[in-house]
Amino acid sequence: MSATDRTAPIVELRGIRKSFGELEVLRGIDLEIFAGEHVVIFGPSGSGKSTVLRSINLLEPPTSGSLKVAGVEYGPGVPGEKAGRRGKPLELRRTVGMVFQQFNLFPHLTALDNVALPLRSVRGVRRADAQVRSAEALRRVGLLQRAAHYPQQLSGGQQQRVAIARALALDPKVMLFDEPTSALDPELVGEVLKTMREVAETGMTMVVVTHELSFAREIGDLNVFMEDGVVVDSGPRGFFEETTSPRAREFIMAVR
Amino acid sequence: MYDWGLIWQHHGILVNGLLVAFKVSLFALVISVVGGLALAMMRMSRPPVSWIAVAYINIFRGVPALVSVIWVYFGVSLLLGVDFSVFEAGVIALSLLYSAFMAEIFRSALSAIPNGHREAGHALGMRPIRVFFSVILPQAVKIALPNIGSMFIGMLKDTSTFTVIGLLEVVRVTQNLVSQTFQPFVLYTAAAAIYVIAAFLIDLVFRLIEGAYASPPRGAVSRLLRSRRQRRIQSLMAELGS
Ligand SMILES: Nc1ncnc2c1ncn2[C@@H]1O[C@H](COP(=O)(O)OP(=O)(O)OP(=O)(O)O)[C@@H](O)[C@H]1O
Ligand SMILES: [Mg+2]
């Protein structure tokens, strides 16, 4: 169990809706995430899990609804409410880190430079300092010895750990993980989960979309089951055993 | 009958012809890489802008070099009231044409970069312009390099048509030599050989550049260039690893 600060949510979604053309894929999402909390989002394919994550850092700007991160409003607003001042996406993304299913390392850069590039361009860290900080970030995920390697010289698990180091090096307040182990060979899943567990232990606020329900049971302070663009049911630890939603129970049985 | 000694006797003139052709092509290469990239970006943006690029590409892709240089040297110069030197006219003519080709090369290279890389850059909080120049473009250039190399060879060969405006490139100097020596077979064979060798060398150079740009870099030259960086990383690893 992690120490969570429950005074004010660090991420707050209210009535988040998202349409792609005619298709409405998020149909009103409400979610409160407190600092230090580890949130698991799960549900069938196409239910909108990725879209929820991607709206938190505005990779997919919501069509309507309120998105507050660290007290600043970034969403287009809830219909009927007066729209206040809105923060810039660039600022938001400097507070929120993201790890992708496909790793998305920059293939033309070494592991070290993958971490150093955003440090330099986002935080304005000078080259030499950025290299030291990047090396430290790689050490944290156990990959210091691979600093000079290019992504294609690394296994999938190692690439994903570099991606985690790259996001962590920027000192985000919140980390988003979109199915971080789904593209990995089964024998490589463990090392990435281990790294994520270590990140969780530092008290980082995490939102994790995953089908690894045993991992979810282990870290989930708040567990959210989604289907068809809505949150069907959610709950604290023990959710996987205690949920009363038939759909959630069915899904949990099927995944296991 | 065939005086092959003529080639050696006049090799200075022939090589000079190649250098002129090479210089024109090199200037045009730089301009058309920049112009092509700009056109590619216009081509990939929203309609009113993309139409301009589409029109440009479709027009200039179809114009032969010979027509282009005559148009620039005799036509455009008159229109604008400026006297281009033959050298300038050659550079402009090639740049106009090859910008169109480069635009297509860059467009396909840019669209080959997975969108996830762009998203990762944005998610990290990098500015779009920085994502483009530090993440997208370096990868696209790597993909485009072999094609840029063939374009450069094409440019060099196209300079042969600039003999019509009197540019002293390979064909022009060969014609001059033929009119003095009446040995067309020998001299045009030499001219052909010069183009073949030049193409071979350009190809070689581009292969070296490709190797240096590969991840990880290939070849002795690139290893040498990167050795300092590698040592820096090694020492960092040693420092923090203990
Ligand atoms: N850019 C887009 N354009 C159009 N439709 C999209 C886009 N992105 C997602 N969708 C659609 O939105 C719906 C929800 O997608 P989303 O990726 O959020 O689902 P998911 O729960 O993450 O699924 P998965 O488990 O397969 O990753 C799907 O029907 C998908 O086809
Ligand atoms: Mg998804």
Side-chain angles (χ1 to χ4, degrees):
Chain A
M1 185 71 81
S2 53
T4 55
D5 169 9
R6 302 202 69 91
T7 47
I10 186 152
V11 177
E12 184 187 5
L13 280 64
R14 274 191 305 127
I16 289 288
R17 290 176 175 272
K18 174 70 184 180
S19 302
F20 292 109
E22 293 288 280
L23 182 70
E24 185 166 54
V25 300
L26 296 185
R27 301 184 292 133
I29 302 287
D30 299 310
L31 193 58
E32 281 189 344
I33 299 165
F34 293 87
E37 202 170 30
H38 305 141
V39 180
V40 168
I41 302 179
F42 70 108
S45 181
S47 56
K49 307 179 296 290
S50 297
T51 310
V52 168
L53 276 199
R54 293 158 62 82
S55 59
I56 294 178
N57 66 357
L58 293 182
L59 279 185
E60 297 294 1
T63 315
S64 78
S66 160
L67 164 69
K68 261 194 194 149
V69 177
V72 182
E73 175 65 57
Y74 294 99
V78 179
E81 275 181 24
K82 195 161 71 79
R85 242 173 54 85
R86 264 201 275 164
K88 295 199 180 72
L90 218 55
E91 298 303 318
L92 169 64
R93 291 172 185 159
R94 290 170 184 190
T95 333
V96 180
M98 187 166 196
V99 173
F100 298 85
Q101 185 176 346
Q102 300 298 338
F103 330 135
N104 289 335
L105 291 185
F106 307 138
H108 62 299
L109 299 178
T110 60
L112 189 79
D113 283 335
N114 262 279
V115 183
L117 171 66
L119 262 178
R120 295 181 63 195
S121 78
V122 175
R123 293 269 180 253
V125 180
R126 281 203 321 252
R127 182 193 287 272
D129 295 342
Q131 285 191 336
V132 175
R133 282 174 63 173
S134 305
E136 284 166 355
L138 288 176
R139 183 176 56 179
R140 233 173 293 148
V141 299
L143 286 174
L144 180 60
Q145 294 311 314
R146 298 282 181 275
H149 286 54
Y150 286 84
Q152 63 160 37
Q153 298 172 298
L154 299 172
S155 74
Q158 291 172 334
Q159 288 186 53
Q160 192 61 297
R161 283 150 67 200
V162 173
I164 293 172
R166 178 171 73 176
L168 282 178
L170 294 168
D171 278 329
K173 293 204 173 87
V174 180
M175 284 279 286
L176 311 175
F177 296 82
D178 192 359
E179 300 200 37
T181 59
S182 294
L184 295 175
D185 292 336
E187 74 272 19
L188 301 178
V189 169
E191 60 181 270
V192 172
L193 294 183
K194 175 170 173 282
T195 301
M196 290 174 64
R197 221 171 266 132
E198 285 161 8
V199 175
E201 278 161 15
T202 66
M204 174 67 67
T205 311
M206 293 165 68
V207 188
V208 185
V209 171
T210 185
H211 292 298
E212 298 283 337
L213 294 194
S214 59
F215 179 71
R217 276 192 181 83
E218 197 187 310
I219 72 154
D221 300 317
L222 172 64
N223 305 283
V224 179
F225 176 71
M226 281 188 66
E227 191 165 41
D228 292 332
V230 294
V231 173
V232 175
D233 194 14
S234 66
R237 274 175 194 284
F239 176 79
F240 295 92
E241 289 69 38
E242 292 158 14
T243 175
T244 52
S245 153
R247 285 296 298 135
R249 294 184 81 91
E250 209 174 300
F251 184 83
I252 292 165
M253 292 299 275
V255 169
R256 193 170 40 197
Chain B
M1 178 77 183
Y2 298 127
D3 184 2
W4 294 100
L6 277 178
I7 299 176
W8 180 249
Q9 201 179 320
H10 298 291
H11 75 276
I13 297 175
L14 289 166
V15 168
N16 260 332
L18 178 62
L19 288 181
V20 168
F22 189 77
K23 238 170 101 180
V24 171
S25 306
L26 197 62
F27 272 95
L29 179 74
V30 172
I31 297 172
S32 54
V33 161
V34 175
L37 188 58
L39 280 167
M41 289 167 70
M42 287 169 67
R43 174 79 180 74
M44 294 168 86
S45 49
R46 277 168 217 292
V49 180
S50 67
W51 291 338
I52 301 172
V54 169
Y56 182 95
I57 291 165
N58 283 310
I59 291 168
F60 281 92
R61 224 170 26 174
V63 179
L66 178 63
V67 177
S68 170
V69 80
I70 293 175
W71 184 66
V72 171
Y73 190 63
F74 298 109
V76 176
S77 58
L78 209 66
L79 181 80
L80 299 178
V82 277
D83 269 330
F84 294 128
S85 69
V86 284
F87 185 88
E88 288 162 356
V91 171
I92 295 169
L94 278 187
S95 303
L96 286 174
L97 304 187
Y98 279 88
S99 292
F101 290 112
M102 293 290 184
E104 290 297 273
I105 290 172
F106 276 117
R107 182 168 70 105
S108 75
L110 286 169
S111 41
I113 311 303
N115 199 35
H117 297 177
R118 186 174 293 116
E119 285 188 342
H122 290 161
L124 287 160
M126 292 168 68
R127 289 175 196 284
I129 190 110
R130 187 67 196 254
V131 172
F132 181 77
F133 282 107
S134 297
V135 176
I136 308 300
L137 190 59
Q139 296 190 59
V141 167
K142 210 152 76 177
I143 296 173
L145 261 177
N147 291 321
I148 295 176
S150 350
M151 285 295 121
F152 190 39
I153 292 171
M155 287 177 167
L156 193 81
K157 293 199 289 185
D158 274 352
T159 59
S160 64
T161 64
F162 297 171
T163 189
V164 291
I165 60 167
L167 181 71
L168 290 170
E169 42 64 59
V170 180
V171 171
R172 186 63 171 212
V173 297
T174 307
Q175 281 172 346
N176 291 346
L177 288 174
V178 168
S179 67
Q180 294 159 26
T181 61
F182 306 106
Q183 289 273 346
F185 180 67
V186 168
L187 290 166
Y188 280 114
T189 303
I194 283 178
Y195 283 115
V196 172
I197 293 168
F200 178 79
L201 291 178
I202 291 172
D203 192 58
L204 195 74
V205 168
F206 271 84
R207 270 168 210 275
L208 284 178
I209 301 175
E210 269 170 62
Y213 259 104
S215 321
R218 287 189 305 263
V221 183
S222 43
R223 271 201 293 278
L224 201 71
L225 288 174
R226 306 233 178 165
S227 62
R228 239 192 68 207
R229 270 186 71 69
Q230 290 291 338
R231 276 203 304 275
R232 170 101 183 99
I233 297 178
Q234 298 296 339
S235 75
L236 262 177
M237 280 160 53
E239 226 172 274
L240 294 173
S242 46

